[in-house]
Amino acid sequence: MTTALLDALRAAVGPAALLTGPATTGGYAHDMMPLAPYGQPLAAVLPADTAEVQACVRACADAGVPIVARGAGTGLTGAANAIDGCVVLVTTRMNRILELDADNRLAVVEPGVVNQDLRTAAAAHGLFYPPDPSSLETCTLGGNLATNAGGLCCGKYGVTGDYVLGLEAVLADGSLLRTGRRTVKGVAGYDLTRLLVGSEGTLGIITRATLALRPLPAAPGTVIATFDSVEKAGDSVNRVVRAGLVPSLLEIMDATSLRAAADYLGADVAGDGDQALLLCQSDAGGQQGERELELMETLFRQAGAAYTHTTSDPAEGGLLLRARRVSLTALEARGACLTEDVAVPRTRIAELIAGCAKIGAEAGLDVAVVGHAGDGNMHPTVLYDRASPGEYAQAREAFDAILALALALDGTITGEHGVGKLKQDWLERELGPVALRVHRKVKDALDPAGLFNPGSMFGRREDDRGAT
C-alpha cells in the first residue's frame, strides 16, 4: 500500500517534488510553536498547480492516508503539524500572482505567494493589500487564508477574511470547489468562502484566491507614548476609541517586552520606569493625518503619558515600529517562548496585562505582553527554560491560565493564529457543545473519512449526540 501510494504521488508531482525519509521531511513536520505535538510524515509533496494537488488528494484518499496542507510554516498553533504516517502537502511552489486587476481592485493568487510580494505588486498599481501578519515577509497567503490571519493594522482594516472575494479549493474526494465572486457585492447561496477561510485545512485545500485590494494609503505618521502603568496605557486606548479615531495601527508593549526589544536592538526603547508603550500610526495623510496624530498625542498626555513623540517621517516611524515587529524574536533570544493569541474587549486590555503579570508571578516565570491594542488582540508570551522539565510544566499551566483569563474577560482564545493542535480542548469551552457539534457535522459532510488535517481544531472526539 505504501509503495503504491508513493508511486502515485511521484507520478502526480514528479520525482523531485516528492520527499521521503526523516532527513528531508523533518523540516515540513511542524510550525514555529514548540508546544504543539507533531509526528513523522510518510512523505512531503510539493505540487506545482491545482491539478497536481487534486492528483495527490485522490491518491491519499484511495490509500486512506491523512493529508496535511501547509505553507511556509510560520504558524504558531501547530495547525499544519504532521501526524505519523501522513502526507504533508506543501503549497510554496504554487507562488504565482495570476492576475492583478487594477480597475476592479482585485488580485487572483496561488496559495504560495508571500504576503509581502502581493503588497509590493499591488503598490506598483497604487493599490494596497492590508492584512499584515508580523511574518509578512515570509508567510504565504495560503497559510493566511487557512488561519484567517490578522496583523498590526486590523483595527482599521480587518483580517484576511475581510478581503477574500472567492476561493478555489480541492475537496477530500479530489473534486474542485469554486466559491465566491469577482463582484463587489454578491449573496448567492451559502457563504462557502467564509466557511473555508480559517478552517485550517480541515475542509479543503485552497489552491487559488480572489482577493480585494484597496487604494494605497498615504505614508503613515507615527506617535509613541510611554506610561508608568499599564492602566494609563489602557485608558489611552479607550480615549482614542471614544474620540472616534481609527488609527491605522495601535500597538502596545509591556515592560518585559520593552526591555527585550531594547536588548535585542541595542537601543533605548523606553525609560527605566516605563511599564508600557503605545505605538500609533495614522495613514490618513495631509491635514487630516496631522490632526489625528495631534489629537492622539493630546489624549495620551491627558491619560498620564510620561513621554510622547510624534513624527511624520516614514523612515523614523519605521524605526520606531521595528521594536514592535522584532518583539517575538527579541523574547526568543531570552529563552523558549510559548506565545498566546487571545483577544479581549479593548476596554479590558489593562486587566489582561495585569492578570498575565500575576499568572507569571505565581508560576515563577516571566510573561511578556505585546499586542494590537486597536482591536484588543494580545500576544502574551510565557518565557521558560527549555532544558527544565519543571519550567516547561509551569509554562504550560501559565499558558492555560491565560486562556482562561481571556474567556473570563469576555474574550476569545484566538484572535488571529487559529486553534490548531494546541487549543482544541479550549474550543468547546468557548463555543459550547452545540456549536462544536455543528462544526463536526460540517467537517463530516465535506471530509467523511476524516483525512484532511486530522487532530487540528478538534481534539479527541466526544459523543455529542446529547448536546442541546
Side-chain angles (χ1 to χ4, degrees):
M1 179 66 75
T2 298
T3 301
L5 172 59
L6 293 177
D7 287 344
L9 294 174
R10 189 176 295 107
V13 299
L18 172 66
L19 308 177
T20 59
T24 54
T25 62
Y28 297 106
H30 59 86
D31 66 12
M32 294 180 65
M33 168 50 73
L35 189 62
Y38 64 92
Q40 177 60 50
L42 168 68
V45 291
L46 289 82
D49 56 33
T50 298
E52 291 188 4
V53 174
Q54 289 180 278
C56 290
V57 169
R58 290 186 180 118
C60 289
D62 290 343
V65 171
I67 189 165
V68 176
R70 67 167 271 150
T74 59
L76 289 166
T77 64
N81 281 12
I83 64 171
D84 287 336
C86 77
V87 171
V88 176
L89 189 146
V90 187
T91 59
T92 50
R93 287 181 66 207
M94 300 173 64
N95 59 3
R96 295 177 298 166
I97 298 174
L98 300 169
E99 181 182 358
L100 208 156
D101 184 341
D103 291 338
N104 287 302
R105 295 181 186 169
L106 62 82
V108 180
V109 301
E110 291 182 323
V113 174
V114 172
N115 183 294
Q116 181 63 65
D117 290 346
L118 176 58
R119 289 184 134 222
T120 300
H125 294 268
L127 297 172
F128 178 45
Y129 179 66
D132 66 335
S134 293
S135 57
L136 81 167
E137 294 180 349
T138 54
C139 66
T140 57
L141 295 173
N144 294 171
L145 292 161
T147 59
N148 201 7
L152 276 64
C153 67
C154 295
K156 179 173 183 177
Y157 290 109
V159 297
T160 298
D162 297 313
Y163 295 87
V164 185
L165 296 173
L167 295 172
E168 185 180 271
V170 176
L171 299 182
D173 62 357
S175 60
L176 189 63
L177 171 68
R178 293 185 176 89
T179 76
R181 64 197 193 280
R182 290 173 63 100
T183 55
V184 176
K185 296 169 64 178
V187 295
Y190 293 139
D191 193 346
L192 300 179
T193 302
R194 296 287 288 193
L195 177 64
L196 289 172
V197 173
S199 63
E200 301 182 10
T202 62
L203 302 179
I205 298 175
I206 295 170
T207 57
R208 186 172 295 192
T210 302
L211 304 174
L213 305 174
R214 287 195 175 203
L216 189 68
T222 305
V223 55
I224 64 168
T226 62
F227 302 85
D228 59 15
S229 75
V230 294
E231 288 77 16
K232 291 178 181 178
D235 181 38
S236 292
V237 174
N238 296 340
R239 289 170 184 255
V240 169
V241 175
R242 284 197 299 267
L245 296 171
V246 186
S248 57
L249 180 148
L250 179 52
E251 296 292 300
I252 191 168
M253 301 176 68
D254 74 352
T256 302
S257 58
L258 284 171
R259 300 287 85 75
D263 291 345
Y264 182 81
L265 295 172
D268 293 334
V269 176
D272 291 338
D274 291 323
Q275 298 300 304
L277 176 143
L278 285 180
L279 192 152
C280 191
Q281 290 188 332
S282 169
D283 62 3
Q287 293 183 344
Q288 181 183 347
E290 292 177 3
R291 286 195 298 269
E292 287 186 358
L293 293 171
E294 289 175 3
L295 179 52
M296 284 187 285
E297 186 171 16
T298 298
L299 293 172
F300 296 160
R301 288 175 177 167
Q302 290 174 351
Y307 170 79
T308 63
H309 173 69
T310 298
T311 178
S312 58
D313 180 1
E316 184 181 6
L319 289 174
L320 294 171
L321 183 58
R322 187 162 180 247
R324 168 63 184 91
R325 287 203 180 274
V326 304
S327 57
L328 179 56
T329 303
L331 290 169
E332 288 174 337
R334 293 192 165 196
C337 296
L338 299 182
T339 300
E340 281 279 18
D341 165 45
V342 297
V344 296
R346 289 171 295 198
T347 53
R348 311 199 75 171
I349 290 173
E351 291 179 73
L352 178 73
I353 296 176
C356 288
K358 182 179 179 182
I359 290 169
E362 292 174 348
L365 301 171
D366 286 333
V367 178
V369 183
V370 300
H372 317 308
D375 56 27
N377 187 189
M378 298 290 106
H379 298 303
T381 298
V382 184
L383 305 177
Y384 68 100
D385 181 357
R386 184 178 285 107
S388 170
E391 283 203 9
Y392 175 84
Q394 290 171 310
R396 181 59 204 243
E397 290 179 4
F399 187 89
D400 286 341
I402 292 169
L403 291 173
L405 173 63
L407 292 181
L409 295 175
D410 300 322
T412 175
I413 61 170
T414 175
E416 59 186 8
H417 293 169
V419 176
K421 294 180 174 65
L422 191 63
K423 299 182 179 180
Q424 303 101 321
D425 292 342
W426 289 90
L427 185 62
E428 184 172 1
R429 298 193 200 190
E430 177 171 334
L431 299 182
V434 174
L436 191 63
R437 185 185 67 200
V438 172
H439 276 66
R440 284 179 169 147
K441 286 184 178 295
V442 172
K443 166 72 170 172
D444 290 344
L446 293 179
D447 180 20
L451 296 182
F452 273 170
N453 206 4
S456 193
M457 293 189 72
F458 307 104
R460 182 173 61 88
R461 178 153 191 154
E462 301 291 342
D463 182 0
D464 45 27
R465 286 173 297 179
T468 59

